[in-house]
Each structure stands twice: as C-alpha cells, then as structure tokens.
Amino acid sequence: MKYVVTVWFWLVFLLTAPVLFTLGLVLFLVAYPVDPDRRWLHALVCRWCFGLWLHLSPGWRTRVEGRELLPSGACVLVANHQSAADILAAMGLFHPYKFVAKASLFSIPIVGWMMSLLGYVAVTRGKTSSLLQLLEPCRAWLRRGMPVLIFPEGTYSQGELLRFKRGAFQLALEEHVPVVPIVIEGTPQLVDGDGPWMSPRASIRVRVLPPLPPESFGPDPVEFADRVRELYVDVLATSR
C-alpha cells in the first residue's frame, strides 16, 4: 500500500505543480501592483498545498487548532521540524507569512521558482553568514507587517527536539514582535525526512499556542530560545 500511495502522490504532484506555478505566475504579474507582499499568491499556494496535496490519501488526517490566536500583524512564527511534510502542514494555518528555508530548495524546478515568486527567505546552512542571511530579509518583512515562519531547530529532529538556534528569537527581540509557537505532530507518520516514500495512514496535528511577548523573556536570545524549547518539550510530552 505504501508504494501505491507514494506513486499516486508523486503522479498528482507532477501533474498539478506546473498548473499551480502557471496560475501563481499569472496572479503574481496581475496582482503585484496592488499586492506587493504577495499575500494573495501565498493564500493560493496554501490552499492548494494543504487542501490538495495533503489530502490525497483517505488515510491522511490533518487538523489545525488555534488559528484565532495568530496575530494580525508582524510576528515570528516558530515551528518544530520533523520532516518535509511540516511545510505542507504549516500551510494549513491559512495565514500570511514568509518561510525561511534552506537555499538548496530554491534551485528545485517549479518548487524553487514558486518560492522565489513568493518572496520566501533562503538561508545557506553552515555558513558563518547564515545568521545575517536570516536576519536582514526577515527584518525587512517584519517592518512591512509580514510575519515570518522559522524552524528554529534548523533541520529535522530525530524523535527528540534539537536545541533551538537563536536567530528567530534575536529577531523578535530586536524588532519587538511576539513569538508564536506552532506545534506540529504526526508528520513523520506521513513521510520520513525528505521521503520519497509516503505512508498510507497519518494523523497530523498543527497547534497554534498563545503569542509570547519577547520582553517577558529578557534580552538574551539564547535564553529565550531555550525557554521556548522547554515549552515545546512540555506540550509534546502531555500530548502523547
């Protein structure tokens, strides 16, 4: 069954991704004068990715809780990271934001082109300049009132949360915007890491927790990151 679901998913993806890119390009060109932040394009992509691709198997169950807690303005969304499916799951927030993603994804045909159209932020892992790559474009988006979404672990965790990197929290402190924890569960049931094999059954849960004002955590971004990680540990432990 795993092979049937995998073939079905990638067949539908390969057939529909060019359609999404074409529609997205047209929307980008037409709407840019009145929507330079590309909110409409992001809304299209979210509904397509979450509504179509994440529901291709009848055995996939996804629920999103707490959308009403998302601030209307600038904020830093932080999410735990377990697999490539986390990106599709986070699309279900149906909220405007700019993803921070590894630079290699932007070179993938169609997918990377769409990410560039959307104005997502590319970061090269392991470089000494990676923090600046993260902070400068994210700071610019936040000052335009646009949220940014960051995976503070930096890569997939293998069961246990990795230590949260300070970049997202330094950004929130410097720009005086709240951090909003997004807890994602169940995506490893769907796909292990980058795949490509897809499971016929998965139960995915995305939860928005109350925003955290940065001033309540002190001026140290490392301590801020550690305390938010502790919150994730507690929330994930109680959900099992």
Side-chain angles (χ1 to χ4, degrees):
M1 192 63 180
K2 175 177 74 172
Y3 302 108
V4 173
V5 171
T6 298
V7 170
W8 170 242
F9 175 85
W10 290 111
L11 177 62
V12 173
F13 175 84
L14 291 173
L15 291 174
T16 58
V19 177
L20 174 59
F21 178 74
T22 302
L23 292 174
L25 180 59
V26 171
L27 180 60
F28 170 80
L29 295 173
V30 171
Y32 189 81
V34 294
D35 183 32
D37 291 341
R38 287 150 274 187
R39 293 171 183 262
W40 297 352
L41 178 58
H42 177 80
L44 168 66
V45 171
C46 284
R47 281 156 178 79
W48 190 290
C49 294
F50 183 82
L52 175 61
W53 293 340
L54 203 54
H55 290 81
L56 284 176
S57 170
W60 296 350
R61 298 285 184 266
T62 306
R63 66 186 189 274
V64 180
E65 304 169 3
R67 289 191 184 101
E68 69 280 0
L69 297 174
L70 292 166
S72 58
C75 61
V76 178
L77 309 173
V78 294
N80 55 310
H81 203 13
Q82 301 170 311
S83 81
D86 294 332
I87 297 174
L88 295 181
M91 292 286 185
L93 295 172
F94 298 154
H95 191 72
Y97 54 76
K98 300 300 179 185
F99 261 125
V100 174
K102 58 184 180 181
S104 59
L105 293 177
F106 289 76
S107 62
I108 300 175
I110 299 180
V111 172
W113 304 339
M114 180 62 82
M115 292 173 67
S116 296
L117 281 184
L118 286 159
Y120 291 167
V121 179
V123 175
T124 303
R125 292 177 183 168
K127 286 194 173 183
T128 55
S129 62
S130 60
L131 184 58
L132 284 178
Q133 284 183 304
L134 166 73
L135 293 177
E136 291 306 317
C138 287
R139 186 177 288 118
W141 281 120
L142 289 171
R143 291 178 181 178
R144 294 171 66 123
M146 175 65 66
V148 295
L149 191 151
I150 299 172
F151 295 114
E153 293 168 277
T155 188
Y156 304 143
S157 58
Q158 300 296 322
E160 183 177 349
L161 281 174
L162 302 177
R163 184 166 186 179
F164 283 8
K165 299 179 183 297
R166 67 184 174 95
F169 306 93
Q170 181 174 329
L171 190 64
L173 287 166
E174 291 178 354
E175 296 302 313
H176 306 288
V177 298
V179 166
V180 185
I182 310 295
V183 180
I184 302 175
E185 300 171 84
T187 49
Q189 299 174 24
L190 177 63
V191 56
D192 183 13
D194 280 325
W197 301 111
M198 317 292 287
S199 172
R201 294 188 177 278
S203 179
I204 298 171
R205 184 184 185 191
V206 180
R207 283 186 285 169
V208 181
L209 302 186
L212 305 172
E215 59 270 13
S216 63
F217 288 86
D220 184 356
V222 175
E223 181 182 353
F224 191 3
D226 289 343
R227 290 176 65 183
V228 174
R229 183 186 178 277
E230 290 173 5
L231 172 64
Y232 272 82
V233 171
D234 292 342
V235 169
L236 291 169
T238 57
S239 68
R240 291 170 184 164

